[in-house]
Amino acid sequence: MDMVMKLGASSAVVIFAKSSCCISHTIETLIRSFGANPIVYELDTHPNGKQMEKALIELGFQPSVPAIFIGKELVGGANEIMSLNVRGKLKQLLIRANAIWI
């Protein structure tokens, strides 16, 4: 779990995903559409992917991906990101995290 939290805090936006997960891809595309450049860890191709997936499950993610950190804080999964976007709060969160400037 420490590895996931440390990686999640390593950049303004971090996404834990799987290359075969269309929801992960959609969330990454949404965040990029604001101009952010997230670091994406694809668990199915990363050497420590199994360990990271186990840690995400321990954090309560079921399914384990996508899991999104913004501003060094664990925001949640796809539902939380979509909810923030619908309420117009995702952009402000990205600005506060210095992931985007406008």
Side-chain angles (χ1 to χ4, degrees):
M1 196 174 332
D2 289 341
M3 175 179 25
V4 167
M5 298 304 283
K6 187 178 283 187
L7 290 173
S10 67
S11 184
V13 181
V14 177
I15 302 172
F16 291 93
K18 287 188 178 177
S19 62
S20 61
C21 176
C22 62
I23 301 298
S24 295
H25 177 74
T26 300
I27 295 299
E28 179 183 350
T29 302
L30 173 65
I31 289 172
R32 286 186 188 278
S33 75
F34 287 100
N37 189 22
I39 293 180
V40 180
Y41 292 99
E42 292 186 342
L43 304 184
D44 53 340
T45 61
H46 194 279
N48 295 323
K50 295 272 188 216
Q51 287 176 299
M52 288 188 253
E53 185 169 17
K54 183 180 176 194
L56 290 168
I57 290 169
E58 288 174 7
L59 286 169
F61 284 91
Q62 200 63 304
S64 59
V65 294
I68 302 95
F69 284 76
I70 299 176
K72 303 182 181 192
E73 291 186 27
L74 180 57
V75 174
N79 288 343
E80 290 80 11
I81 294 298
M82 294 306 287
S83 176
L84 286 167
N85 188 49
V86 167
R87 294 181 300 164
K89 295 185 177 186
L90 181 57
K91 182 177 181 180
Q92 291 304 315
L93 187 59
L94 292 169
I95 290 170
R96 280 197 308 272
N98 291 321
I100 60 175
W101 291 271
I102 263 189

